[in-house]
Amino acid sequence: MIDDFKKNKNLYEKSLIAVDPIIFTISDKKLKIFLKKREKDPFKGKYELPGGLLLHDETAEQTMERKLKELLGDFKIFFMQFQSFTKPNRDPRERIISIGFMALVNEESIEIKDSWFDVEKLPDLAFDHKEIITLAKNHLCQHLNLMVAKQFLPEYFPLNKLQEVHEVVGKRKYDNRNFRKKMIQSGCVEETDQIQKGCSHRPSKLYKFKAEVHEISCK
Amino acid sequence: MIDDFKKNKNLYEKSLIAVDPIIFTISDKKLKIFLKKREKDPFKGKYELPGGLLLHDETAEQTMERKLKELLGDFKIFFMQFQSFTKPNRDPRERIISIGFMALVNEESIEIKDSWFDVEKLPDLAFDHKEIITLAKNHLCQHLNLMVAKQFLPEYFPLNKLQEVHEVVGKRKYDNRNFRKKMIQSGCVEETDQIQKGCSHRPSKLYKFKAEVHEISCK
DNA sequence: GCAAAAGTGTTACAGATACACCCATGG
DNA sequence: CCATGGGTGTATCTGTAACACTTTTGC
């Protein structure tokens, strides 16, 4: 391929490479994403994904880690690639290829509480970011499984919170008795001796994921 | 992001962008992919994916269409993005980001009969192409549905061929009676009045997909 | 008539669904 | 004592799995 490039440098063009993180969390029973407001043209005043360019010696995954640390702080965050975006004029200034990643964070680990937008009520977006977010939402919804749900929860959680995650991401309701039965039977979660505190109703038992939960799917 | 670039051009580096097509077909009850032999160093004599660079005004999808036409001829081929590869040194000469696509073709539309390798018996591969192929195989296997199966079959096909596609891609066996029942009940295929010819055994009825088959999943 | 693949129905089992009431706590 | 969310069992339905023999054709 490089040989093609050497033969005819006019045809091919080197391009900047960026990652665009779609950072999801669940808060207030809604799926939300992190956006920032643009302070410069083009698209001044609109919102954008908090993307970043790859450094010369970085993989896209390393760029994601660097950006996430910068945005949310230094703790481990789960993320996965879902699609790359290559329209030549997606940035009006200069060609940039963007690799889309979705990242999943537990609400409780978030310090900055603003900047989060309900995916059903997004503001005006810069570049092709609306399209990117739509695809990320579909990808998340289609890849909902226990590994994904786990990312939205703290280590110890009530089963009803796990159900809530499934309901919000999967955009559907589950029967509470059936959901609990299925989760317990699946062997992926286990009861602990911890109890929920500080709630003005019957406190729930807390569960945790068994260590071996990795890729178990859950419709 | 471009502002970051303008501030410090040393840190960021523009890169060539390529597509790498993993072209699958089913032949002889095996899943096969298209590879070509490298005639130059590096990796001279090893096999590689038939990748191509993005032209300055092309999306990755347009590059795929151009390359597929060049490799296999001018007919419509189904393909989908599955992952991008960004290790800085994946090509020892110069940085190239590669966007991996899997393409699916029906054996009968192939003219060039060599160049196809059983995915279970791959030759030595150049660059990171072994890794790319492994990921493409997993992706294909996990995304097996009727839309995918359709790509491996001609317009009119025996139900048993559809079963074969599912068995080869899904690496498992299906019970013939149950499989037929399920396919017919699903309403995605319909019987035609066409009959298989030129076989030395009982000829089968031929079926076709109904028009609306797009994204129906099938375990 | 034999080889080779096509085609066909019934029973058993497991997983999914539907459904309504009592419980524990804080205020 | 009341409001709030936590927690529980049974009966039915539906889709999947297991299973073996007859049919049609070419040679």
Side-chain angles (χ1 to χ4, degrees), chain B residues 58-199:
Chain B
E58 267 183 342
T59 63
E61 286 73 21
Q62 288 166 338
T63 313
M64 275 296 293
E65 280 168 15
R66 178 167 57 82
K67 289 304 289 185
L68 288 172
K69 184 170 163 183
E70 192 181 309
L71 293 163
L72 300 177
D74 191 6
F75 57 98
K76 199 166 187 318
I77 296 177
F78 174 96
F79 59 86
M80 57 191 290
Q81 238 192 82
F82 72 97
Q83 187 163 135
S84 296
F85 299 88
T86 59
K87 283 201 196 105
N89 59 347
R90 47 183 298 282
D91 188 308
R93 296 163 294 182
E94 174 170 351
R95 187 165 199 182
I96 304 192
I97 304 297
S98 175
I99 304 174
F101 281 83
M102 52 186 232
L104 312 178
V105 296
N106 167 15
E107 182 189 8
E108 292 178 27
S109 56
I110 297 167
E111 284 165 25
I112 306 156
K113 296 292 180 191
D114 51 355
S115 305
W116 295 90
F117 291 80
D118 182 345
V119 294
E120 303 299 334
K121 292 171 191 164
L122 292 176
D124 276 353
L125 290 157
F127 308 107
D128 55 353
H129 290 189
K130 190 177 181 79
E131 183 192 343
I132 295 178
I133 293 167
T134 302
L135 287 164
K137 274 165 58 184
N138 292 344
H139 195 85
L140 176 61
C141 181
Q142 280 159 29
H143 290 76
L144 173 58
N145 60 33
L146 285 183
M147 186 59 185
V148 166
K150 183 176 173 174
Q151 310 306 320
F152 290 120
L153 293 167
E155 187 178 357
Y156 296 91
F157 56 87
L159 277 188
N160 288 355
K161 278 283 166 192
L162 178 57
Q163 183 177 341
E164 187 187 305
V165 169
H166 277 83
E167 290 181 341
V168 170
V169 177
K171 287 192 217 160
R172 52 163 293 188
K173 290 283 175 192
Y174 289 85
D175 177 89
N176 184 249
R177 276 171 291 193
N178 294 335
F179 184 84
R180 290 168 158 269
K181 236 180 304 170
K182 194 171 152 185
M183 285 303 131
I184 291 162
Q185 276 173 14
S186 79
C188 297
V189 293
E190 58 187 348
E191 208 176 313
T192 68
D193 52 6
Q194 309 241 19
I195 298 283
Q196 197 179 32
K197 285 179 216 158
C199 53

Side-chain angles (χ1 to χ4, degrees), chain B residues 35-48:
Chain B
L35 295 173
K36 59 185 215 187
K37 199 166 192 167
R38 282 190 61 79
E39 286 168 1
K40 291 183 184 172
D41 267 322
F43 302 106
K44 186 175 172 179
K46 300 209 183 215
Y47 284 84
E48 66 177 345

Side-chain angles (χ1 to χ4, degrees), chain B residues 22-33:
Chain B
I22 296 86
I23 313 173
F24 289 102
T25 197
I26 291 176
S27 144
D28 196 21
K29 300 197 183 184
K30 291 183 184 69
L31 188 63
K32 300 193 175 178
I33 59 173

Side-chain angles (χ1 to χ4, degrees), chain A residues 1-2 5 11-12 14-15 17 51-58 60 81 83-84 86 88 94-96 99, chain B residues 1-2 11-12 14-15 17-18 51-58 60 81 83-84 86 88 94-96 99:
Chain A
M1 290 183 295
I2 285 181
F5 177 64
L11 284 177
Y12 308 102
K14 291 196 184 186
S15 163
I17 315 294
L53 294 171
L54 270 69
L55 297 177
H56 71 90
D57 60 349
E58 267 183 343
Q81 238 191 83
Q83 187 163 136
S84 296
T86 61
E94 174 169 352
R95 186 165 200 179
I96 303 190
I99 304 175
Chain B
M1 290 184 295
I2 286 181
L11 284 176
Y12 308 101
K14 292 198 183 187
S15 162
I17 316 291
L53 295 172
L54 269 69
L55 297 177
H56 71 92
D57 61 349
E58 267 183 342
Q81 238 192 82
Q83 187 163 135
S84 296
T86 59
E94 174 170 351
R95 187 165 199 182
I96 304 192
I99 304 174

